[in-house]
Amino acid sequence: MRIGIFYNHKQVDRENALRLSRMIRGQGGEAFVFSRISDMKGVDRLIVLGGDGTILRVAKRASEMDIPLVGVNYGNLGFLAEFERGEEERAADLVLSDCVVVRRSMLEVDIDGQKSYCLNELALLHSVNERNPNGIVRISVEIDGKKAGDFSADGLIVATPTGSTAYSLSAGGCIMTPDSETFILTPVCAFSLRSRPIVFPDSCTLTLSFAKDSLMLYGDGDYLGKADGERKLTVRKAVRTARFLTVDPNGYFRRLTEKINH
């Protein structure tokens, strides 16, 4: 089996990745070490050494190639990681075994035909500049062509179940388990007390319009571009999925308690 080892060179010493590669070769596998996402090719499974941000970026690229991965946390929270620093040998054992693969749904964001993909969330935020130093945005939402509401807020978040424990949760959204077939729409600092998060089936298509407002779009924290009244923005469930290897498919609530509820 061909195992890729991606390491974030800002967080992880290369020698740690090389040590892990020797463990894998010692168990009869092939190991390839790299620190550039563009080098991710020709592998059957992937170990990611880094924090949650690193795992997010790598998972999006891996989803294009349908490569399953497992994370070893070298960051802070490490909610997406299966193992902690020092547990690299367990990660090596996992990727070489007949283990469970969990699929995580993703968002497909379409801006006038230009598509981007998100594992956690799409965030639409107002821009702050001399002409709009502290304004709010007005976003009209349709779900499968039916009006779902108008939101006046600092912005809006569309999150997957995986992303429901990230930015959306901080903005007042609920937690959705990874196997939930739903997405959540969460306003950011809404102007009205009537504006509340909306959970909707992931089979629906979300259409967003902004009147004259100009919004900054971020996918999993990465800048995607701007949207305004002249551009059509739709969000739907992506065909591709992120695939995660796990030793405990029922360990979500344990991880939730250990990582977030502390």
Side-chain angles (χ1 to χ4, degrees):
M1 188 177 294
R2 296 166 61 89
I3 306 300
I5 302 171
F6 178 91
Y7 70 98
N8 183 333
H9 66 89
K10 295 180 180 179
Q11 296 174 304
V12 184
D13 190 281
R14 180 175 173 82
E15 180 53 38
N16 290 349
L18 293 174
R19 188 180 305 114
L20 177 57
S21 72
R22 291 192 290 269
M23 293 180 190
I24 291 170
R25 294 190 183 105
Q27 296 185 49
E30 296 182 74
F32 304 88
V33 176
F34 54 95
S35 60
R36 295 184 302 181
I37 293 180
S38 59
D39 291 337
M40 188 194 312
K41 52 190 174 183
V43 298
D44 301 307
R45 290 180 172 181
L46 187 64
I47 299 175
V48 182
L49 308 181
D52 283 333
T54 301
I55 295 173
L56 277 175
R57 290 191 297 273
V58 174
K60 283 191 286 186
R61 175 63 173 162
S63 71
E64 297 179 39
M65 305 176 182
D66 204 28
I67 300 172
L69 62 88
V70 63
V72 179
N73 180 35
Y74 274 76
N76 295 315
L77 186 62
F79 190 69
L80 294 175
E82 186 78 9
F83 301 108
E84 294 299 319
R85 183 186 314 191
E87 296 183 313
E88 288 82 0
E89 187 172 356
R90 293 186 63 196
D93 292 340
L94 180 68
V95 295
L96 293 171
S97 69
D98 184 18
C99 59
V100 175
V101 180
V102 176
R103 291 185 178 270
R104 299 289 187 99
S105 58
M106 300 178 67
L107 300 173
E108 178 187 273
V109 182
D110 189 324
I111 310 172
D112 285 343
Q114 181 178 346
K115 295 180 180 179
S116 302
Y117 296 88
C118 311
L119 175 55
N120 261 4
E121 76 277 308
L122 169 70
L124 303 87
L125 304 174
H126 75 77
S127 56
V128 178
N129 51 48
E130 293 179 355
R131 292 176 297 176
N132 186 30
N134 196 30
I136 60 174
V137 294
R138 295 168 180 81
I139 304 172
S140 180
V141 179
E142 291 185 356
I143 299 177
D144 274 353
K146 301 178 181 64
K147 188 67 173 289
D150 295 311
F151 294 86
S152 295
D154 282 349
L156 204 61
I157 302 165
V158 186
T160 66
T162 299
S164 69
T165 54
Y167 191 9
S168 175
L169 183 64
S170 297
C174 66
I175 293 173
M176 301 184 294
T177 58
D179 57 349
S180 300
E181 297 181 348
T182 52
F183 293 143
I184 184 170
L185 187 68
T186 307
V188 179
C189 298
F191 190 69
S192 171
L193 291 175
R194 294 180 296 175
S195 295
R196 290 291 182 267
I198 299 173
V199 175
F200 60 96
D202 64 10
S203 58
C204 296
T205 297
L206 198 66
T207 304
L208 306 169
S209 55
F210 322 103
K212 297 181 180 180
D213 293 308
S214 178
L215 298 174
M216 313 289 281
L217 305 183
Y218 295 88
D220 294 342
D222 293 329
Y223 178 67
L224 301 181
K226 291 183 179 180
D228 54 35
E230 302 300 320
R231 308 185 72 184
K232 182 180 180 181
L233 175 61
T234 58
V235 183
R236 59 177 61 89
K237 184 179 181 178
V239 174
R240 70 178 62 168
T241 59
R243 301 171 65 201
F244 285 82
L245 305 171
T246 181
V247 293
D248 182 10
N250 299 313
Y252 177 77
F253 290 106
R254 172 187 55 76
R255 184 176 293 111
L256 189 69
T257 301
E258 292 175 353
K259 298 286 187 175
I260 294 181
N261 188 27
H262 62 78

